[in-house]
Amino acid sequence: MNSTKTWSGRFNEPVSELVKKYTGSIDFDKRLAQWDIQGSLAHAQMLCQAGVLSGEDLAAIERGMAEILAEIEAGRLQWSLDLEDVHMNIERRLTDKIGDAGKRLHTGRSRNDQVATDIRLWLRDQINIIQTLIQSLQTALLDLAEQHAETVMPGFTHLQVAQPVSFGHHMLAYVEMLGRDYERMADCRRRVNRMPLGAAALAGTTYPVRREVTAELLGFEQICQNSLDAVSDRDFAVEFTAAASLVMIHLSRLSEELILWMSPRFSFIDIADRFCTGSSIMPQKKNPDVPELVRGKSGRVIGHLIGLITLMKSQPLAYNKDNQEDKEPLFDTADTLIDTLRIYADMMRGVSVKPENMRAAVMQGFATATDLADYLVKKGMPFRDSHEVVARAVRHADEAGVDLSQLPLAVLQGFSSLISEDVYQVLTPEGSLNARNHLGGTSPEQVRFQTARWRRLLADAQAV
Ligand code: ARG
């Protein structure tokens, strides 16, 4: 008989070493220890209030758990694969310390509701960290937006120069994306923050548990209302990974832009040396490793989303061991996202902008062609006709190797007699920016308005 297993009473032979390794989770779930203990303490308090556990037993459990926590923090607790997972390791250590009271802790509980609770408690804390980090990245982007409200760069569609935009406006686009990411995390957190404890293995328990007491102690906003669902639901894990994937996709898109902008072909920005590396063979190289890795790591997080959603497909109710596979993807998703957000805020503070090069690129792409068409419309020409007139002017300027704003008035008037001296106000990139002065537009005034709006929103969020 294998006496080390808590469940080994009905077995005639111990599991093989291979099976032990294959089914054990201690190597990765030991990081849940702190939350496992938090859940156990609340469970024990509730049992005591319900008259299931004596006051002495509760006191012993609290003392034992405090010692175990200290041992874990000091790296002194010996984790054992024989004890399978974090729950049984901690319970055994407790029993070694306090005897029968330790054995009574698992009354009215199963590892099934226990592990679901641990994961939710852990994830709730990770989401708190992520939300704060999203806001500090937004702040770093807002600093850039404010500094560069007036900096013109080419806005692209199809990666072809389209119309001038403010670099600040471009940064604000990412502030908006991250704002939605924050909302998604907050929304996901509401469904994470529900308590499975009390569901026990799957059907509830015969003890007079008071779930609202445990929920209150653990700060859960809601209690899972169906015991079968409580132990088998991992929707929250899928939702979190989906929300995390979107953050990573947003940062992957920004990374792609930083990489392009830093290449000498663009030369729009530079990234501080501490975020770049050199080449072992090419002495001239300075590579944007951090954004490249962010782009790469987005694939890894998306992979976890696919992994988790596939994990849940076809699982009959209620708990199945499949669910043990939720942890590594979840842990890695949170770790990757937290590291990425942290380094990104830092890196954006190390971005220096080259406004002259951005402006030169605007001047090479006929970026104000639409402005000229709009100018003609305002003088009475139908838009389709003005589009045609401007296309001819662009062809002429292209052949002459100059920007539209560099064509003499007489030449421009050759394309339409509606054109007069004031045309040069709309042909400059600055004129083009200023003309788009409406909510959501790229004018410096709007950029400053949006920056101030976001600063207020972030300050309010911090205040609550
Ligand atoms: N280590 C397990 C997990 O992560 C804990 C739950 C085990 N429950 C069970 N009935 N085998 O899911």
Side-chain angles (χ1 to χ4, degrees), residues 14-281:
V15 295
S16 74
E17 280 304 307
L18 211 53
V19 170
K20 208 193 297 175
K21 275 213 190 83
Y22 195 76
T23 59
S25 54
I26 188 62
D27 283 349
F28 51 85
D29 68 13
K30 60 183 177 220
R31 70 183 276 176
L32 290 174
Q34 160 195 346
W35 293 274
D36 192 67
I37 291 173
Q38 191 187 351
S40 289
L41 288 173
H43 179 66
Q45 276 188 52
M46 180 280 288
L47 286 180
C48 183
Q49 283 190 34
V52 178
L53 209 65
S54 71
E56 298 85 79
D57 282 348
L58 174 61
I61 289 170
E62 286 175 339
R63 179 173 44 80
M65 286 300 200
E67 287 175 23
I68 294 173
L69 205 54
E71 286 171 10
I72 294 169
E73 273 160 15
R76 274 190 283 114
L77 192 85
Q78 293 289 320
W79 302 104
S80 153
L81 183 62
D82 283 327
L83 293 166
E84 230 177 290
D85 57 25
V86 65
H87 323 293
M88 298 211 284
N89 268 269
I90 290 176
E91 191 186 312
R92 174 62 58 90
R93 184 77 188 126
L94 185 68
T95 305
D96 288 348
K97 282 178 179 295
I98 65 169
D100 282 355
K103 293 188 192 164
R104 290 198 187 99
L105 170 63
H106 211 52
T107 310
R109 184 176 76 167
S110 152
R111 275 186 296 156
N112 297 351
D113 58 345
Q114 186 179 359
V115 70
T117 302
D118 291 4
I119 283 279
R120 285 169 185 264
L121 288 172
W122 167 82
L123 187 53
R124 190 177 70 182
D125 283 355
Q126 306 312 301
I127 292 176
N128 293 345
I129 297 170
I130 289 165
Q131 289 187 293
T132 306
L133 289 172
I134 287 177
Q135 291 179 329
S136 65
L137 176 53
Q138 285 182 302
T139 302
L141 293 168
L142 286 174
D143 292 345
L144 275 172
E146 206 159 62
Q147 266 171 280
H148 292 285
E150 318 247 356
T151 303
V152 272
M153 67 174 277
F156 297 91
T157 60
H158 315 271
L159 204 54
Q160 308 288 320
V161 171
Q163 292 172 354
V165 293
S166 145
F167 181 71
H169 192 57
H170 200 115
M171 290 298 103
L172 284 169
Y174 286 99
V175 173
E176 291 289 328
M177 291 178 229
L178 289 163
R180 292 193 298 277
D181 290 329
Y182 182 95
E183 286 175 29
R184 263 185 288 272
M185 286 292 169
D187 187 50
C188 169
R189 192 184 183 284
R190 288 172 41 231
R191 281 177 293 280
V192 168
N193 203 15
R194 295 178 186 175
M195 189 190 73
L197 269 183
L202 75 166
T205 170
T206 57
Y207 298 95
V209 287
R210 290 165 56 187
R211 301 183 69 201
E212 61 297 339
V213 171
T214 331
E216 166 100 42
L217 286 168
L218 292 171
F220 279 115
E221 276 163 326
Q222 289 186 41
I223 297 170
C224 301
Q225 299 288 312
N226 179 292
S227 63
L228 294 165
D229 182 46
V231 291
S232 59
D233 165 35
R234 295 293 184 277
D235 292 2
F236 68 90
V238 173
E239 280 187 57
F240 168 72
T241 318
S245 295
L246 276 170
V247 186
M248 290 300 293
I249 286 171
H250 293 149
L251 297 184
S252 178
R253 297 184 72 178
L254 179 52
S255 295
E256 174 71 6
E257 300 202 306
L258 296 178
I259 293 162
L260 283 172
W261 295 343
M262 199 181 118
S263 104
R265 290 286 153 267
F266 279 79
S267 199
F268 284 2
I269 60 160
D270 202 5
I271 299 178
D273 286 359
R274 62 184 181 280
F275 299 101
C276 301
T277 62
S279 157
S280 55
I281 175 171

Side-chain angles (χ1 to χ4, degrees), residues 232 315-324:
S232 59
Q315 270 198 57
L317 297 186
Y319 177 88
N320 302 281
K321 189 76 168 181
D322 310 41
N323 283 343
Q324 183 165 289

Side-chain angles (χ1 to χ4, degrees), residues 1-3 5-15 19 84:
M1 203 173 93
N2 176 10
S3 60
K5 293 278 189 193
T6 50
W7 41 256
S8 59
R10 80 178 295 294
F11 289 81
N12 292 320
E13 57 174 8
V15 295
V19 170
E84 230 177 290

